[in-house]
Amino acid sequence: MLTDQIDWANPEGDQVRIDISKPLPLSGPPGHVTIQTQFFFNKGLDYLHYGSKGSGQDLSISKIKVARYHDFGLELLAPEHIWINDVCTYDISASYGISHWWFNRQKFYIDRHTAESSRKVVRTHMRILSVVRIKAYSRYGYDYLKEITLRRADHQEYTIAEKDFKNLYPSDFEDLNLLLLQGHLNHLPGSDIRMLSTAVKLWTRNLVIRQRVEDFQLGIESYQKLLNLTKPGWDATGFEFKHDYTIIDSPRAVVFPVSNNEQKIMRFNEIYKFSDGTLTNIMEALDYRVKEYKVNRLNPGMNTRFWTDKDVERSKEFIHAIERRLKTRRIFQNLECFVGGRVRDIDYRLLQRTE
């Protein structure tokens, strides 16, 4: 459990005492916020990498102080030593958040969740309205949900098992957590509610762990010692002649301006490495060009070339990919609230959703 005081050892070996009960000091000019490196105290990546036999979990989802920054170009402010050099791997029990379980229980849980499951049968965007009934059996101290009957938005019943969790959308777990939180499952026996709550929270924790290890920490997550990803390849050398916010075919990327009349590129496969502010800025600029620019005409900001149908199509693809990334982040921020630890304003409109 975290206390209001954290001792953190910096790379030089000095001890820095941090009072996390108070707002962390941030500096920088208006519109740009710089996080002092001594406040990157999250050891979650070390835990996921090496595992733990203790009962406590030092994960990013258990931090008290978290932050969300919407500043444009925030990733440009990150010092070079904060990015990792290699992609970090971690053991499967740590990714499930069950490293502190004894071996047979771990093996039973992991084997059940890695069992074959039909993706087409269970994967749908329809909202979950209710849980009708549950069938389960216990072994090694864990209650495995053999059958879960759900009622979705079309008012039809669908049957899944706990092994199908890996094929559901994150929004499905948001719906299940909301049903549990709002007390809409009181028609089920108390034992069934407890079993469902345990299974859903464990898998929600697994989703959050996997997402946060792969995601961009500065923009949407708590303070870290190191960013849990490699530095994006945003150098625009060789593409300086490109207009701002035009799409490059190879590599598949978009050119965007930063300070001092400098240009950077954001590759399509590296969208997840950029902060919310940068993604929102680029998405709005592309959206403006799609809606306001005329195809095969000289347009403001592009006085040396015509815009083609291909430009419009590629811009729409980038807009869709960025919207999907921002939506995913919003869902996982809410899921973190359900598994505990985040001090963050929950979107209470979600809690007021009715059937």
Side-chain angles (χ1 to χ4, degrees), residues 149-353:
T149 304
L150 306 174
R151 181 173 289 112
R152 291 188 176 271
D154 60 352
H155 298 284
Q156 300 296 318
E157 294 185 0
Y158 297 83
T159 300
I160 66 171
E162 195 170 341
K163 66 180 181 180
D164 297 319
F165 280 3
K166 58 182 174 291
N167 290 322
L168 298 179
Y169 286 107
S171 57
D172 291 327
F173 293 95
E174 187 179 25
D175 291 337
L176 289 172
N177 277 293
L178 284 171
L179 290 174
L180 290 165
L181 184 63
Q182 295 169 342
H184 290 171
L185 301 182
N186 292 335
H187 60 282
L188 298 175
S191 58
D192 288 353
I193 295 177
R194 287 192 297 273
M195 286 187 292
L196 179 64
S197 176
T198 300
V200 170
K201 288 184 183 300
L202 275 172
W203 193 261
T204 302
R205 183 178 293 272
N206 172 35
L207 289 176
V208 171
I209 289 172
R210 291 177 180 271
Q211 177 74 7
R212 287 309 182 216
V213 168
E214 298 171 355
D215 217 335
F216 182 63
Q217 306 294 312
L218 253 184
I220 59 173
E221 182 49 35
S222 58
Y223 304 102
Q224 303 281 333
K225 283 180 61 183
L226 292 174
L227 298 186
N228 290 339
L229 57 128
T230 57
K231 184 177 179 179
W234 54 38
D235 187 8
T237 302
F239 300 101
E240 294 86 356
F241 61 93
K242 292 287 187 180
H243 289 287
D244 294 339
Y245 302 110
T246 55
I247 308 299
I248 303 171
D249 186 28
S250 181
R252 192 180 182 189
V254 59
V255 178
F256 65 96
V258 294
S259 58
N260 301 323
N261 297 321
E262 186 182 2
Q263 287 183 321
K264 297 287 186 181
I265 63 173
M266 181 178 70
R267 287 176 168 82
F268 191 83
N269 60 353
E270 291 187 332
I271 289 177
Y272 69 96
K273 296 185 179 182
F274 290 80
S275 63
D276 291 4
T278 303
L279 294 180
T280 302
N281 188 294
I282 293 175
M283 181 182 66
E284 291 176 351
L286 291 175
D287 186 64
Y288 165 72
R289 280 155 176 77
V290 168
K291 292 179 178 177
E292 301 296 334
Y293 278 39
K294 300 181 185 299
V295 175
N296 295 327
R297 293 287 191 278
L298 289 176
N299 293 282
M302 289 186 182
N303 295 324
T304 59
R305 63 179 291 267
F306 290 149
W307 234 42
T308 64
D309 290 327
K310 198 67 174 179
D311 290 316
V312 176
E313 180 182 347
R314 291 171 180 171
S315 296
K316 287 182 178 179
E317 290 175 355
F318 260 90
I319 292 172
H320 180 68
I322 293 174
E323 287 178 339
R324 187 169 62 249
R325 172 57 53 179
L326 292 175
K327 179 181 179 181
T328 300
R329 288 179 177 177
R330 192 272 306 165
I331 291 175
F332 275 93
Q333 286 158 6
N334 287 325
L335 290 179
E336 284 194 11
C337 299
F338 295 127
V339 297
R342 291 202 72 176
V343 177
R344 175 181 173 270
D345 293 333
I346 303 177
D347 189 349
Y348 285 99
R349 290 173 297 179
L350 291 174
L351 303 182
Q352 298 172 358
R353 284 163 55 177

Side-chain angles (χ1 to χ4, degrees), residues 96-151:
Y96 283 111
I98 57 174
S99 291
H100 55 286
W101 288 9
W102 60 297
F103 176 75
N104 284 339
R105 192 182 185 191
Q106 277 187 18
K107 187 175 184 303
F108 174 75
Y109 182 86
I110 294 173
D111 287 348
R112 300 288 82 72
H113 284 84
T114 54
E116 291 186 2
S117 170
S118 176
R119 183 187 182 96
K120 294 182 180 179
V121 172
V122 302
R123 199 168 177 86
T124 173
H125 285 288
M126 287 189 296
R127 180 185 162 201
I128 297 176
L129 300 181
S130 181
V131 178
V132 180
R133 55 187 172 272
I134 294 173
K135 293 183 181 179
Y137 68 91
S138 300
R139 186 169 297 175
Y140 301 115
Y142 181 77
D143 298 312
Y144 175 72
L145 304 182
K146 187 176 181 180
E147 183 178 301
I148 310 171
T149 304
L150 306 174
R151 181 173 289 112

Side-chain angles (χ1 to χ4, degrees), residues 38-81:
Q38 63 264 34
F39 296 102
F40 285 74
F41 55 77
N42 192 327
K43 303 284 181 80
L45 186 62
D46 294 334
Y47 166 79
L48 291 174
H49 190 188
Y50 301 107
S52 173
K53 299 301 181 182
S55 58
Q57 295 181 336
D58 191 15
L59 303 175
S60 57
I61 56 176
S62 63
K63 294 304 170 195
I64 294 179
K65 288 293 182 182
V66 297
R68 296 175 64 204
Y69 294 106
H70 297 281
D71 301 68
F72 171 70
L74 181 63
E75 54 279 340
L76 300 173
L77 304 178
E80 290 292 331
H81 67 273

